């Protein structure tokens, strides 16, 4: 028997823009935010900030999606450093180690917000659309500090107006779950994984019409089409360097 928490987690799904006009109440939003900050975090410092956005035009400029509310989760050491400075202390944890630790804190808070939202009947979609195009627009639109703050992930919340036909499946066996040590896949196990992506009952992939597009396997489409779309890694690197999370040159 699954308890209510497990039922909530197993009923998580991504809604791609089909949100109704029904508003999320202030009380429910407060519950979501209060739950989010309960997530585990390194050294009890909560090295993140959550920007709440309800303006739909602003949402579109940030990531193209529109819902009833957007929560932008940022890796944020600005508050921590400014507090240290006011108290006459130094705090030098940022750069890449601090960024990785802060990113973990941030994602834990974001996932907790998703689970809390679903428990209230509110659906969601995570998007890294904030990283597409000129990331500096996020800083301008939301007045983010240019140092020690980086927008990591956006969570769009809302009530769906169209129930999905199917819930997405997930890999949960060999290749994902390892016992005692990492287990490299055999050729047969890789073939089984390819077939698992191809099954249609609980589709795992991003699209379902890959066969109609002339592909033998879903992963043929994924590797040759979807993954072939290169993101602007250099631009993201430059932003991270500007924030102070990366200090050395890219070619060093």
């Amino acid at each position: 028997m699954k308890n209510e928490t497990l039922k909530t987690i197993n009923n998580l799904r991504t809604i791609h823009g089909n949100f109704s006009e029904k508003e999320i109440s202030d009380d429910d939003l407060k519950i979501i935010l209060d739950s989010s900050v309960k997530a585990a975090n390194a050294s009890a410092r909560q090295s993140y900030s959550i920007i709440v956005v309800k303006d739909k035009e602003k949402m579109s400029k940030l990531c193209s999606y529109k819902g009833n509310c957007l929560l932008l989760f940022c890796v944020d050491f600005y508050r921590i450093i400014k507090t240290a400075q006011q108290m006459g202390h130094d705090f030098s944890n940022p750069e890449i180690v601090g960024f990785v630790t802060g990113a973990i804190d941030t994602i834990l808070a974001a996932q907790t917000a998703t689970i809390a939202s679903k428990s209230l009947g509110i659906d969601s979609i995570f998007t890294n659309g904030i990283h597409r195009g000129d990331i500096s627009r996020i800083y301008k639109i939301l007045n983010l500090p240019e140092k020690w703050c980086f927008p990591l992930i956006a969570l769009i919340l809302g009530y769906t107006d169209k129930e999905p036909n199917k819930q997405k499946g997930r890999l949960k066996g060999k290749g994902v779950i390892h016992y005692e040590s990492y287990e490299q896949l055999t050729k047969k196990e890789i073939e089984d994984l390819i077939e698992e992506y191809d099954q249609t009952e609980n589709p795992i992939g991003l699209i379902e019409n890959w066969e109609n597009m002339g592909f033998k396997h879903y992963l043929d489409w994924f590797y040759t089409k979807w993954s072939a779309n290169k993101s602007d890694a250099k631009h993201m690197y430059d932003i991270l360097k500007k924030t102070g999370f990366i200090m050395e040159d890219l070619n060093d």
Side-chain angles (χ1 to χ4, degrees):
M1 292 290 292
K2 293 179 181 177
N3 59 36
E4 290 305 312
T5 301
L6 292 175
K7 288 179 183 178
T8 297
I9 293 172
N10 280 277
N11 285 326
L12 289 172
R13 75 272 183 89
T14 295
I15 302 299
H16 288 88
N18 298 317
F19 291 110
S20 72
E21 294 299 317
K22 182 180 178 181
E23 297 293 328
I24 297 171
S25 71
D26 290 340
D27 287 343
D28 281 351
L29 181 57
K30 185 177 187 305
I31 290 171
I32 293 166
L33 293 170
D34 287 349
S35 299
S36 179
V37 299
K38 290 288 187 180
N41 65 99
S43 301
R45 64 191 176 196
Q46 293 177 261
S47 48
Y48 56 81
S49 284
I50 308 169
I51 315 297
V52 181
V53 177
K54 294 187 177 182
D55 185 305
K56 292 188 178 181
E57 183 178 347
K58 190 178 288 187
M59 285 186 211
S60 292
K61 292 178 180 178
L62 292 170
C63 66
S64 299
Y65 286 102
K66 290 182 182 179
N68 300 126
C69 181
L70 179 150
L71 303 181
L72 181 68
F73 289 83
C74 303
V75 179
D76 184 18
F77 283 87
Y78 183 81
R79 159 179 46 86
I80 299 168
I81 290 173
K82 293 299 287 187
T83 302
Q85 290 174 347
Q86 185 165 317
M87 296 178 70
H89 300 300
D90 292 325
F91 184 84
S92 58
N93 189 67
E95 300 178 26
I96 193 63
V97 174
F99 179 77
V100 171
T101 304
I104 293 169
D105 286 358
T106 306
I107 290 299
L108 288 173
Q111 182 64 17
T112 302
T114 308
I115 295 171
S117 299
K118 187 61 180 176
S119 75
L120 297 170
I122 299 169
D123 281 307
S124 62
I125 178 172
F126 274 119
T127 177
N128 62 354
I130 52 173
H131 300 148
R132 299 186 188 114
D134 185 0
I135 302 175
S136 62
R137 78 186 185 283
I138 310 297
Y139 287 80
K140 294 174 183 176
I141 294 170
L142 299 178
N143 196 32
L144 298 183
E146 292 188 354
K147 296 289 289 183
W148 314 125
C149 183
F150 181 78
L152 192 66
I153 195 80
L155 177 64
I156 314 296
L157 301 174
Y159 297 93
T160 182
D161 64 359
K162 183 181 179 181
E163 288 294 328
N165 294 327
K166 302 175 183 177
Q167 186 180 29
K168 287 286 187 181
R170 291 290 189 273
L171 297 175
K172 53 186 178 182
K174 286 269 190 177
V176 175
I177 310 298
H178 306 260
Y179 293 95
E180 305 298 345
S181 63
Y182 195 97
E183 302 171 87
Q184 296 192 27
L185 294 174
T186 65
K187 288 186 177 181
K188 175 60 168 62
E189 288 167 342
I190 291 175
E191 290 173 0
D192 291 342
L193 182 146
I194 293 169
E195 290 182 9
E196 191 170 355
Y197 269 103
D198 289 347
Q199 59 85 25
T200 58
E201 184 176 350
N202 293 108
I204 298 172
L206 297 169
I207 64 169
E208 296 181 39
N209 64 335
W210 48 270
E211 284 185 290
N212 297 333
M213 298 167 67
F215 293 97
K216 183 179 179 181
H217 299 289
Y218 164 80
L219 288 177
D220 289 323
W221 170 85
F222 177 80
Y223 288 124
T224 63
K225 296 297 181 181
W226 182 259
S227 298
N229 295 325
K230 303 296 184 181
S231 60
D232 190 357
K234 180 63 166 61
H235 178 59
M236 184 177 290
Y237 172 86
D238 290 340
I239 292 290
L240 285 169
K241 189 174 180 181
K242 184 177 181 180
T243 60
F245 287 119
I246 295 177
M247 302 299 290
E248 72 278 4
D249 290 331
L250 185 63
N251 294 322
D252 286 353

